[in-house]
Amino acid sequence: MKKTFYLFNPGMLERKDNTLKFTPFDSEENPMQPRYLPVEDVSEFYVFGSLRASSSLYNFLGQKDIAVHFFDYYENYTGSFMPRDTLLSGKVLLAQTAAYQNKRKRVEIAHKFIDAAVWNMLMNLNYYNRRGKELDEQIAKMKSLAEIIPNTDTIPELMGIEGLIRQEYYTAFDIILNDFNMSSRTKQPPENEVNALISFGNMMCYSETLRAIHQTQLNPTISYLHTPGERRYSLCLDVSEIFKPIIVDRVIFKVLNKRLIQEQHFDHKLNSCLLNQNGKKIYVKAMEERYEETFKHRSLGRNVSYKHLIKLECYKLLKDLLGLEEYKPFKMYW
Amino acid sequence: MNINATYINIYNVCKRELWLHANQIRFEHTSDIVYDGKLIHEDSYPLRSSKYEEIEIDGIKVDYYDTKNKVIHEIKRSNKIEQAHEWQLKYYMYVFEQHGVTDVKGILEYPTLRKTQPVVLSDVDRDRIKEIIADIDKIISSEECPPLQKKGICKSCSYYEFCFTKEVEE
């Protein structure tokens, strides 16, 4: 089973014979004891620290189909090294584009992303409502706003409703979380601990979705809810909407309420708050655990992980675009 | 439309897979079984390379062709879809004939099962191959993907998750 590797320490990654060697640096940039990473076990790298690497390494990683995602000091996603796209299908690209250009079809797909995202947010709130958090008010408000979704016929309208629902959803965070307050959503940079975690978690989910899309014939720049190609792989933003509540948010509630991440895991600056290295490590570990959690998939009859679920979502979208089967987004029922 | 031996093989397994495969919608890279087959192909018969040759003509790529005895060898992982393998091999022989190499024999080899299976090309087969080619052409040039058909082999197919994933509502 291939694994994701997270590089937090600054260091050097190189090809050593037919495997990988990572040499971490200490604070004076002196090399420390190297670690060998068996290349066959690596699915991708997330690079948080500064990394020294050569083109021969990237050639090797490309050959082995290993992606590298980079994040800057502020935990913003900078970009990815993606191996050559071997899964190209002209038919899929045309179908994807045609669906975007058909105004009705575009809105229809966008509706589905929001519909599932809101459903999954509500599942989170229901979960905590059953566990003694008073969330009836938020649930009722979100449900009534959600009823407007089918009546929106343009993307900006839909985005507006989604924004209102999300605002309501975020007020629930302060009730769910025991020791931390979020107040409102702030980004670039996040202003408090909860916002720092949301930003960081969303970035991770976004990169994971990029990876899933890359493993299919879908083109990550053609999207439906978000405007295509605005600097980013916008289809990842679309698809990750569905998974952010059930993966990112659930992990945030867990690490904060179980006190796995505490005040000391954040760096406070004048107007920003970021996870420090230890905090990142704890969050990433909790996120990995969530990704690897499995459940029995209803139509496949096999156990699938949450990570794998993202790829299955891409398959369903692909089938809809090709006219094989109408797309139904993933909704959690537990 | 360019037809290759893989199409002939898939045609005899699943028409839907054929359409998807021909349209570059492929999932073989996700399958451990396919990977296993690749390793078997690479690791079986290590002494052969000097005596046998890998040949490529007209969209077909023959695993090993024994020029002296005029035998095409095709290595397969399991004989579960033997019928499809046979047609693939018969197509090789057919293409060889079209290029003037006649009286070629074929052997299907299943190294992990320690079994081999001789294959010959008859006149009936030649006609059938022409029909198959015409039918493949029709399927892959169609805009419509053939509908889902549940078969025993589906669960071990690399397209299984693509074909069968859907949301079952409560």
Side-chain angles (χ1 to χ4, degrees), chain A residues 87-89 91 215 217 297-300 302 308 311 315-316 319 322 324-325 328-329 333, chain B residues 16 19 23-27 29-30 143 145 155 160-170:
Chain A
L87 300 169
L88 296 170
S89 163
K91 189 144 205 127
Q215 288 170 348
Q217 287 76 13
H297 192 281
R298 284 212 183 85
S299 73
L300 296 179
R302 326 182 149 153
H308 194 66
K311 196 157 103 182
Y315 287 173
K316 284 187 296 172
K319 283 198 279 190
L322 290 166
L324 307 189
E325 203 177 307
K328 272 193 193 169
Y333 282 96
Chain B
R16 183 179 166 95
W19 188 90
N23 281 298
Q24 308 293 323
I25 299 151
R26 299 181 180 176
F27 303 91
H29 63 286
T30 62
E143 278 300 308
C145 174
K155 283 213 165 181
Y160 174 72
E161 292 194 331
F162 173 80
C163 284
F164 288 90
T165 188
K166 60 175 183 182
E167 292 307 311
V168 184
E169 278 177 34
E170 267 179 7

Side-chain angles (χ1 to χ4, degrees), chain B:
Chain B
M1 193 64 81
N2 244 337
I3 285 181
N4 63 42
T6 312
Y7 289 7
I8 306 278
N9 181 340
I10 300 175
Y11 173 84
N12 286 290
V13 181
C14 174
K15 310 280 185 287
R16 183 179 166 95
E17 185 186 347
L18 174 66
W19 188 90
L20 290 165
H21 182 94
N23 281 298
Q24 308 293 323
I25 299 151
R26 299 181 180 176
F27 303 91
E28 284 85 351
H29 63 286
T30 62
S31 164
D32 288 341
I33 296 174
V34 174
Y35 188 66
D36 195 38
K38 186 172 164 270
L39 292 180
I40 289 169
H41 183 183
E42 283 167 6
D43 295 343
S44 305
Y45 312 109
L47 298 176
R48 231 176 217 182
S49 48
S50 55
K51 221 170 101 195
Y52 297 78
E53 293 163 43
E54 203 163 319
I55 284 185
E56 237 180 307
I57 35 165
D58 212 6
I60 63 168
K61 195 173 168 186
V62 172
D63 283 347
Y64 291 105
Y65 178 56
D66 178 351
T67 37
K68 203 175 129 215
N69 302 312
K70 287 190 150 185
V71 181
I72 302 173
H73 296 249
E74 176 64 21
I75 305 169
K76 292 290 178 194
R77 181 180 168 274
S78 108
N79 58 0
K80 247 194 188 164
I81 43 169
E82 188 159 333
Q83 196 241 108
H85 298 160
E86 274 176 19
W87 280 111
Q88 182 182 347
L89 197 43
K90 282 176 184 171
Y91 179 71
Y92 287 158
M93 295 191 256
Y94 176 81
V95 173
F96 270 52
E97 272 185 9
Q98 304 286 305
H99 287 81
V101 188
T102 49
D103 299 321
V104 173
K105 290 187 286 286
I107 293 184
L108 279 173
E109 297 172 319
Y110 301 103
T112 49
L113 305 173
R114 311 210 170 277
K115 269 169 97 171
T116 58
Q117 168 80 33
V119 176
V120 288
L121 184 68
S122 68
D123 279 340
V124 182
D125 293 337
R126 285 183 189 94
D127 291 340
R128 178 70 190 133
I129 285 176
K130 280 179 202 143
E131 281 170 35
I132 290 176
I133 292 171
D135 203 19
I136 288 178
D137 213 17
K138 213 174 98 200
I139 292 169
I140 63 182
S141 52
S142 161
E143 278 300 308
E144 293 270 312
C145 174
L148 193 62
Q149 271 188 315
K150 194 160 174 124
K151 301 176 182 193
I153 193 119
C154 283
K155 283 213 165 181
S156 46
C157 174
S158 60
Y159 291 57
Y160 174 72
E161 292 194 331
F162 173 80
C163 284
F164 288 90
T165 188
K166 60 175 183 182
E167 292 307 311
V168 184
E169 278 177 34
E170 267 179 7

Side-chain angles (χ1 to χ4, degrees), chain A residues 96-113 153-156 158-159 222-228 230 234 238 321:
Chain A
Q96 236 185 306
T97 318
Y100 171 77
Q101 285 173 331
N102 178 336
K103 228 175 123 191
R104 201 187 47 80
K105 182 77 182 169
R106 180 187 173 190
V107 173
E108 184 190 304
I109 297 174
H111 271 166
K112 287 176 180 172
F113 290 137
D153 1 272
T154 64
I155 297 291
L158 178 62
M159 286 278 215
I222 300 172
S223 54
Y224 303 96
L225 176 61
H226 296 84
T227 310
E230 262 183 5
S234 42
D238 281 10
L321 295 170

